[in-house]
Amino acid sequence: IAPSLNGHADSESPVITMGWKDRLDVIDWVNFVAENYPESKIVLHGESMGSATTMMATGETLPENVKVAVADCGFTSVWDIFSNKITNSFKMHEFPMLYSASTVNKLYSGFDFKEASSIEQLKKSKTPTIFLHGENDKFVPYEMLDKVYEAAACEKAKVTIPNAPHARNACANPELYWDSILNFINKYLEEKITFAVFIFSSYFIKYHAKNRINNIFAISDGWNENEPIPNQRLIPSPPP
């Protein structure tokens, strides 16, 4: 299952909510699967803003069907990632721009940027989570990996992908990427995965995990299988 995040692809929402409201949509999908397939074992796997969505979702009450989460290059909070872009990319100060934007967002979307925190959600998480981040990630700073990892109250693992820029971990080192994820998942599953909820936020992905995950088809941001994949970001399948 590959749900569209708010403001992406087929989402009915016109507003991107950076994972905060999206976490509730993911939980709805999880509950749908758990209710209709009671024996299912669910893995949440998100990348970039999808990773933040995953981390934020694990801070809520989830059914026992959810066994593992995979957080790939996610940010610590909406405030932190916007602050990083404003100060480093645009050479501006947080005040007044970020404070004003957060206040407007509170009025328009019902939450402020500091409230939308992966770190605070992870402090409540009970879902075993593996955190992955590219060493050369300049978009979501690599330093955020340690912050989310240390905050997580759940069983956890941390993996650095050498030389990988943002959202390229599976491409930069597919063997390390998939071996790390699958070894972590196998610690908590006795059988093959039946369902996975993939939450990607940047591009079209289609992949079939041979003999492990059945018929996963992921689309986000409006891309479809007849369009070219931007920047060759096709994620390779895990090894058989």
Side-chain angles (χ1 to χ4, degrees):
I1 300 174
S4 298
L5 301 185
N6 281 272
H8 295 76
D10 295 326
S11 170
E12 296 177 355
S13 171
V15 180
I16 295 173
T17 61
M18 300 297 292
W20 188 241
K21 286 190 173 182
D22 312 274
R23 82 193 195 284
L24 303 178
D25 296 333
V26 170
I27 292 170
D28 285 343
W29 278 109
V30 165
N31 288 332
F32 173 84
V33 172
E35 291 168 6
N36 288 274
Y37 304 91
E39 301 302 317
S40 65
K41 298 176 176 64
I42 299 173
V43 175
L44 302 179
H45 184 158
E47 182 183 80
S48 190
M49 190 167 74
S51 176
T53 305
T54 294
M55 293 187 284
M56 292 170 181
T58 63
E60 306 297 336
T61 301
L62 299 173
E64 293 183 358
N65 305 70
V66 178
K67 302 300 182 183
V68 179
V70 180
D72 181 351
C73 64
F75 48 80
T76 51
S77 72
V78 173
W79 180 278
D80 290 345
I81 193 64
F82 284 171
S83 174
N84 178 267
K85 295 303 123 190
I86 285 176
T87 57
N88 293 322
S89 299
F90 298 103
K91 308 303 179 184
M92 299 171 64
H93 296 292
E94 288 184 348
F95 185 85
M97 178 68 71
L98 192 55
Y99 286 84
S100 300
S102 182
T103 300
V104 171
N105 194 72
K106 176 72 172 180
L107 295 172
Y108 188 78
S109 296
F111 69 94
D112 63 50
F113 295 158
K114 291 185 178 180
E115 177 185 355
S117 171
S118 301
I119 285 179
E120 294 303 315
Q121 290 294 98
L122 286 167
K123 290 178 180 179
K124 303 181 289 180
S125 175
K126 298 179 181 179
T127 305
T129 302
I130 180 170
F131 300 88
L132 306 100
H133 216 112
E135 191 176 32
N136 288 344
D137 194 333
K138 307 301 182 186
F139 191 80
V140 175
Y142 173 69
E143 293 74 20
M144 289 188 174
L145 171 62
D146 284 338
K147 294 179 180 179
V148 293
Y149 177 80
E150 293 299 330
C154 55
E155 295 183 52
K156 55 193 175 183
K158 179 174 63 174
V159 179
T160 294
I161 309 296
N163 304 315
H166 183 63
R168 299 292 204 283
N169 292 332
C171 299
N173 195 325
E175 184 174 354
L176 174 60
Y177 184 83
W178 288 114
D179 282 352
S180 299
I181 290 174
L182 294 171
N183 288 338
F184 186 80
I185 289 174
N186 288 337
K187 290 170 57 178
Y188 301 97
L189 296 180
E190 296 178 357
E191 301 174 354
K192 295 176 183 178
I193 303 168
T194 305
F195 287 96
V197 177
F198 282 78
I199 313 161
F200 296 100
S201 63
S202 299
Y203 49 85
F204 163 85
I205 297 164
K206 179 181 180 182
Y207 109 92
H208 180 257
K210 299 175 182 177
N211 301 319
R212 290 188 174 90
I213 304 174
N214 298 322
N215 299 324
I216 299 301
F217 185 68
I219 299 178
S220 67
D221 284 2
W223 293 93
N224 63 61
E225 63 181 324
N226 296 317
E227 294 178 310
I229 298 165
N231 300 324
Q232 297 183 342
R233 292 187 186 177
L234 181 62
I235 288 187
S237 298

